[in-house]
Amino acid sequence: MTLDKQAIAADLVADPDLIHFDNAGASLMPRPVLDAQLAHLQLEAELGGYRAEAERQSAIESVYDSIARLVNCQRDEVAVVENATVGWMMAFYALPFEPGDRILTAEAEYASNYLAYLQLAKQRDVVVETIPSTAEGEVDVDALRGMIDTRVKLIAITHVPTNGGLVNPVEEIGAVAREHGIFYLVDACQSAGQIDLDVDRIQCDALSATGRKYLRGPRGSGFLYVRRSALADLHPPVVDLFSATWTGPDSYELRADARRFENWENNYAAKLGLGAAVDYALALGLPAIEAEVTRLAAVLRERLSGIERVSVQDIGRRRCGIVTFSVAGIDAYAISDCLRQKRIHTSVSGPSSTLIDATRRGLPNLVRSSVHYFNSDDQIERFVEALGEIAATG
Ligand SMILES: Cc1ncc(COP(=O)(O)O)c(C=O)c1O
């Protein structure tokens, strides 16, 4: 199935002249996602938040069905949360670590996840180790196999890092985790919405994602998947009267489903917006989305490599829609600012957001130009022309 780019363009709320290559930062919401939120905010203003929620109960519930379809799980394995970080942290801090336990992670791991490992290393004496990468840049699965022993408590992998198009082989890693019965946590923050995710194929126990990036959902939305068989052993790091019931003066009972990782108060407009975004992606089809995003990113990489002073910094055998580069002699922030003045949106990925990978490769600040299926070949040409001028005069 190919994408109907005209229909997709008609759903854009943004000015068609804007070149938005910051989909790894925050993408552009399509009209149905905006409308779902506006309608609910209107209802809240008219009826008050509690009545509005009651009126839209079945639509709110169907957000869980949509997410379950997106990642191929059951609805009771889904928690809808504020962002990817909250989802990831809920699963991570629920694990019963003991001193000496080992955590194995990727070199291109995201800063917030790594900071959580370091905190636990301090507090509970766990050991954090990075799995070496192959010469091409992704997690070396053979090296991972050689690192396994009975002390490995967690394998935690960022599917697509924040600093480039690398796609880690999460399914091959999942096979190793499953074989050894090791808890497997996947950060799918940058892959959800651009890569077809299937938690059974990946064989992960938990997976977190955000709304505002490739899913084109609202800010302040995200979700966590937790495998049903893992749920009973995971005690949320915080509980409230939604995640648990107060059953007696000295007792409480956790919810049986993944909503034990949620809490009571919610931004229902954002939740409905997230559901609309997931439905929008599902209607287009994730394989078709992935094919178009990958194609556009490959064209962009190719065109960038022809510009003097520009170095494409992506690694990996398989690469997705995030394209990072540097320009000799000009800082990435200056490049991104100049592009913004030409109505082109990019962002900057600094070394501290993926410190291990950036240190290993000696990376400077990188310009991150991340394309989505609603972008066009023509926009790439205009982008390359604008960048060529900046690089020539800078
Ligand atoms: C790989 C990765 N993981 C996690 C996050 C955190 O996502 P959120 O800001 O939604 O918590 C990001 C954000 O850029 C990211 O790139």
Side-chain angles (χ1 to χ4, degrees), residues 24-25 82-88 108-113 158-163 187-191 208-213 219-222 322 353-354 368:
E82 296 91 316
N83 51 51
T85 303
V86 167
W88 190 95
E109 190 69 358
Y110 187 61
S112 298
N113 305 351
T158 297
H159 192 187
V160 169
T162 194
N163 70 338
D187 174 345
C189 183
Q190 293 290 4
S191 52
S208 54
T210 206
R212 73 184 180 284
K213 297 179 186 289
R219 294 202 65 177
S221 68
I322 305 178
S353 61
T354 44
R368 185 175 65 179

Side-chain angles (χ1 to χ4, degrees), residues 357-379:
D357 178 52
T359 306
R360 179 176 70 94
R361 295 201 281 141
L363 294 176
N365 286 333
L366 302 177
V367 182
R368 185 175 65 179
S369 47
S370 42
V371 291
H372 215 326
Y373 56 77
F374 57 76
N375 294 128
S376 64
D377 292 85
D378 176 56
Q379 289 183 332

